[in-house]
Amino acid sequence: MTGSNAQGRTDAGHDLFKGTTKKRKDKASKKDTPPPIQVGEHGRYQIKSGLLAGKFVARAFSKPPTKARGMIAEATGETEEAAITALHSAIDAREVRRNEDRRKDPRTGTLVPCTDEYVEAFNSVNLTRPQRAMLMALSLAEDNGLAEEKVADAGSYKSANSAKKALASAGRMIAGYLSSKTGSKMPSKSLDGTALIGFCGDSGQEDKPGNWILHPELCAAIRIAT
């Protein structure tokens, strides 16, 4: 009888100990698990925020799907909300600087984005293989440009007119991406798709069109992005 009671107390004590130990482990596990990463948006960017190495961090990336790699911008704050607000402000300030730094093309009056903007757009918009092939061929030609027939051949188009329409479409996609609002008080200025790609050079002959020439900023961007 005594042995049975002792065994009962032992079993009960053992079970209680196991339960307590498990409970403590569960609490410790929950305490050690960092809060989940929050995902949001700001204009054309994806925002990820959370606690990292004891401080709140917010980071901006290109929205998926994209070929862009790496972080666009980063900010920290006393709270997660403060870090996100600081990041939004940094992105908006960069957008203002970019708008102000765009070069005005004397031939068309178009505001030409900087190389970094073109790289970001080139990696983010969904260009077709023929569009990319034509842009690559034009970038290799640099200031000399290419005759419209050679541009069409690069994209496997049967006519120069079809190639021209495809390039104009590529320009509109790039313009649409770069014109996306980010919440800045100074939104991106309007960009013309066709003129955003480049211009037609002067052949010196009235009855002969000049070569198609990319903006040097876009030439440099294509070489960087590919």
Side-chain angles (χ1 to χ4, degrees):
M1 177 75 108
T2 305
S4 175
N5 288 341
Q7 182 63 41
R9 286 195 299 271
T10 302
D11 290 342
H14 181 63
D15 290 342
L16 181 61
F17 179 74
K18 284 178 63 178
T20 305
T21 304
K22 185 177 180 181
K23 195 171 184 180
R24 285 176 181 172
K25 284 184 178 179
D26 289 343
K27 285 184 177 180
S29 177
K30 290 180 180 179
K31 185 177 180 181
D32 294 341
T33 302
I37 299 296
Q38 301 295 324
V39 179
E41 294 182 355
H42 186 59
R44 58 180 173 269
Y45 300 115
Q46 182 183 72
I47 306 299
K48 294 183 179 181
S49 59
L51 191 62
L52 180 64
K55 60 181 179 180
F56 290 101
V57 178
R59 292 172 174 173
F61 302 87
S62 293
K63 285 182 183 177
T66 176
K67 292 184 178 181
R69 294 291 179 268
M71 183 172 55
I72 300 295
E74 180 185 71
T76 59
E78 293 291 329
T79 64
E80 188 170 4
E81 291 74 16
I84 293 172
T85 299
L87 180 60
H88 289 182
S89 297
I91 291 172
D92 293 344
R94 188 187 68 160
E95 202 74 4
V96 171
R97 289 194 303 271
R98 281 181 165 184
N99 275 281
E100 293 174 344
D101 291 343
R102 285 176 179 169
R103 175 179 64 84
K104 188 173 184 178
D105 182 9
R107 304 169 192 83
T108 63
T110 300
L111 293 174
V112 181
C114 67
T115 296
D116 287 345
E117 287 184 277
Y118 274 125
V119 170
E120 187 181 310
F122 194 79
N123 283 328
S124 299
V125 299
N126 189 26
L127 298 176
T128 65
R129 184 174 296 179
Q131 287 172 328
R132 289 181 179 273
M134 289 189 293
L135 289 172
M136 175 58 75
L138 284 166
S139 72
L140 294 174
E142 297 184 322
D143 293 343
N144 295 322
L146 290 174
E148 55 184 17
E149 294 83 5
K150 290 187 176 180
V151 177
D153 287 344
S156 299
Y157 286 99
K158 293 182 179 180
S159 70
N161 189 48
S162 296
K164 188 180 294 185
K165 287 180 179 179
L167 280 177
S169 174
R172 286 193 295 272
M173 281 191 279
I174 292 173
Y177 176 83
L178 294 177
S179 297
S180 299
K181 293 181 179 179
T182 61
S184 170
K185 293 181 179 179
M186 184 182 289
S188 298
K189 297 175 183 176
S190 178
L191 298 169
D192 178 76
T194 306
L196 198 66
I197 295 295
F199 56 93
C200 188
D202 185 5
S203 67
Q205 302 177 34
E206 289 186 8
D207 59 342
K208 184 179 179 181
N211 286 354
W212 293 2
I213 303 172
L214 290 189
H215 293 303
E217 294 88 348
L218 180 53
C219 280
I222 292 171
R223 290 195 292 270
I224 293 171
T226 54

